[in-house]
Short mmCIF file of all heavy atoms in Angstrom, two decimals:
data_model
loop_
_atom_site.label_atom_id
_atom_site.label_comp_id
_atom_site.label_asym_id
_atom_site.label_seq_id
_atom_site.Cartn_x
_atom_site.Cartn_y
_atom_site.Cartn_z
N GLU Q 104 190.25 47.42 73.55
CA GLU Q 104 191.43 47.35 72.69
C GLU Q 104 191.26 46.28 71.63
O GLU Q 104 190.48 45.34 71.80
CB GLU Q 104 192.68 47.03 73.52
CG GLU Q 104 193.01 48.07 74.55
CD GLU Q 104 194.18 47.66 75.43
OE1 GLU Q 104 194.22 46.48 75.85
OE2 GLU Q 104 195.05 48.51 75.67
N MET Q 105 192.02 46.42 70.55
CA MET Q 105 192.08 45.41 69.49
C MET Q 105 193.50 45.41 68.94
O MET Q 105 194.19 46.43 68.98
CB MET Q 105 191.10 45.72 68.37
CG MET Q 105 189.66 45.69 68.79
SD MET Q 105 188.54 45.99 67.41
CE MET Q 105 188.32 44.31 66.85
N PHE Q 106 193.91 44.28 68.41
CA PHE Q 106 195.19 44.22 67.72
C PHE Q 106 195.00 44.74 66.30
O PHE Q 106 194.03 44.38 65.63
CB PHE Q 106 195.74 42.79 67.68
CG PHE Q 106 196.29 42.33 69.00
CD1 PHE Q 106 195.64 41.36 69.74
CD2 PHE Q 106 197.47 42.90 69.51
CE1 PHE Q 106 196.14 40.95 70.96
CE2 PHE Q 106 197.98 42.48 70.72
CZ PHE Q 106 197.31 41.51 71.45
N LEU Q 107 195.92 45.57 65.83
CA LEU Q 107 195.88 46.07 64.45
C LEU Q 107 196.22 44.96 63.46
O LEU Q 107 195.64 44.86 62.39
CB LEU Q 107 196.89 47.21 64.27
CG LEU Q 107 196.56 48.53 64.94
CD1 LEU Q 107 197.78 49.43 64.98
CD2 LEU Q 107 195.43 49.20 64.19
N ARG Q 108 197.19 44.13 63.86
CA ARG Q 108 197.65 43.00 63.04
C ARG Q 108 197.90 41.81 63.95
O ARG Q 108 198.14 41.98 65.14
CB ARG Q 108 198.97 43.35 62.35
CG ARG Q 108 198.89 44.38 61.29
CD ARG Q 108 200.28 44.82 60.84
NE ARG Q 108 200.29 46.23 60.52
CZ ARG Q 108 200.36 47.22 61.42
NH1 ARG Q 108 200.49 46.96 62.69
NH2 ARG Q 108 200.33 48.47 61.03
N TYR Q 109 197.85 40.65 63.37
CA TYR Q 109 198.15 39.43 64.13
C TYR Q 109 198.83 38.42 63.20
O TYR Q 109 198.69 38.49 61.98
CB TYR Q 109 196.87 38.84 64.74
CG TYR Q 109 195.91 38.28 63.73
CD1 TYR Q 109 195.88 36.92 63.44
CD2 TYR Q 109 195.04 39.12 63.03
CE1 TYR Q 109 195.02 36.41 62.49
CE2 TYR Q 109 194.17 38.63 62.09
CZ TYR Q 109 194.16 37.28 61.82
OH TYR Q 109 193.32 36.76 60.87
N PHE Q 110 199.57 37.51 63.80
CA PHE Q 110 200.27 36.49 63.01
C PHE Q 110 199.36 35.27 62.88
O PHE Q 110 198.94 34.68 63.87
CB PHE Q 110 201.59 36.09 63.66
CG PHE Q 110 202.37 35.12 62.83
CD1 PHE Q 110 203.06 35.56 61.71
CD2 PHE Q 110 202.40 33.77 63.15
CE1 PHE Q 110 203.79 34.66 60.92
CE2 PHE Q 110 203.11 32.87 62.37
CZ PHE Q 110 203.80 33.33 61.25
N ASP Q 111 199.03 34.91 61.66
CA ASP Q 111 198.21 33.74 61.38
C ASP Q 111 199.14 32.55 61.18
O ASP Q 111 199.87 32.48 60.19
CB ASP Q 111 197.35 33.97 60.14
CG ASP Q 111 196.36 32.85 59.90
OD1 ASP Q 111 196.76 31.66 59.95
OD2 ASP Q 111 195.17 33.15 59.69
N GLU Q 112 199.12 31.61 62.14
CA GLU Q 112 200.02 30.46 62.09
C GLU Q 112 199.71 29.52 60.93
O GLU Q 112 200.61 28.90 60.37
CB GLU Q 112 199.98 29.71 63.42
CG GLU Q 112 200.54 30.52 64.56
CD GLU Q 112 200.49 29.79 65.88
OE1 GLU Q 112 200.21 28.58 65.89
OE2 GLU Q 112 200.75 30.44 66.91
N ASP Q 113 198.43 29.42 60.56
CA ASP Q 113 198.06 28.55 59.44
C ASP Q 113 198.61 29.07 58.11
O ASP Q 113 199.08 28.31 57.27
CB ASP Q 113 196.53 28.41 59.33
CG ASP Q 113 195.94 27.69 60.54
OD1 ASP Q 113 196.67 26.87 61.16
OD2 ASP Q 113 194.77 27.94 60.86
N LEU Q 114 198.54 30.40 57.91
CA LEU Q 114 199.04 31.00 56.68
C LEU Q 114 200.52 31.35 56.75
O LEU Q 114 201.16 31.54 55.73
CB LEU Q 114 198.24 32.28 56.36
CG LEU Q 114 196.76 32.10 56.07
CD1 LEU Q 114 196.08 33.44 55.90
CD2 LEU Q 114 196.55 31.24 54.82
N GLY Q 115 201.04 31.46 57.98
CA GLY Q 115 202.44 31.81 58.17
C GLY Q 115 202.75 33.26 57.83
O GLY Q 115 203.85 33.58 57.39
N GLU Q 116 201.76 34.15 58.00
CA GLU Q 116 201.97 35.56 57.69
C GLU Q 116 201.18 36.47 58.64
O GLU Q 116 200.26 36.02 59.32
CB GLU Q 116 201.60 35.86 56.24
CG GLU Q 116 200.15 35.56 55.89
CD GLU Q 116 199.87 35.74 54.41
OE1 GLU Q 116 200.24 34.85 53.62
OE2 GLU Q 116 199.28 36.78 54.07
N THR Q 117 201.56 37.74 58.64
CA THR Q 117 200.88 38.73 59.47
C THR Q 117 199.67 39.27 58.70
O THR Q 117 199.79 39.63 57.52
CB THR Q 117 201.84 39.89 59.82
OG1 THR Q 117 202.94 39.34 60.54
CG2 THR Q 117 201.15 40.92 60.69
N ILE Q 118 198.54 39.30 59.38
CA ILE Q 118 197.27 39.69 58.76
C ILE Q 118 196.75 40.96 59.43
O ILE Q 118 196.83 41.11 60.65
CB ILE Q 118 196.21 38.57 58.93
CG1 ILE Q 118 196.75 37.22 58.45
CG2 ILE Q 118 194.89 38.94 58.28
CD1 ILE Q 118 196.91 37.11 56.97
N GLU Q 119 196.19 41.86 58.64
CA GLU Q 119 195.53 43.05 59.18
C GLU Q 119 194.21 42.63 59.83
O GLU Q 119 193.50 41.77 59.30
CB GLU Q 119 195.22 44.06 58.06
CG GLU Q 119 196.43 44.61 57.35
CD GLU Q 119 197.22 45.59 58.20
OE1 GLU Q 119 196.61 46.37 58.94
OE2 GLU Q 119 198.46 45.56 58.11
N ASN Q 120 193.88 43.23 60.96
CA ASN Q 120 192.62 42.94 61.64
C ASN Q 120 191.47 43.49 60.79
O ASN Q 120 191.38 44.70 60.58
CB ASN Q 120 192.61 43.57 63.03
CG ASN Q 120 191.41 43.16 63.85
OD1 ASN Q 120 190.36 42.83 63.32
ND2 ASN Q 120 191.55 43.20 65.15
N PRO Q 121 190.58 42.63 60.30
CA PRO Q 121 189.50 43.11 59.42
C PRO Q 121 188.47 43.99 60.15
O PRO Q 121 187.78 44.78 59.51
CB PRO Q 121 188.86 41.82 58.91
CG PRO Q 121 189.19 40.80 59.95
CD PRO Q 121 190.52 41.19 60.51
#
Side-chain angles (χ1 to χ4, degrees):
E104 297 175 317
M105 296 183 89
F106 286 110
L107 289 166
R108 291 170 216 80
Y109 68 97
F110 184 76
D111 187 312
E112 293 179 11
D113 294 333
L114 296 175
E116 59 186 78
T117 300
I118 307 290
E119 297 288 323
N120 187 334

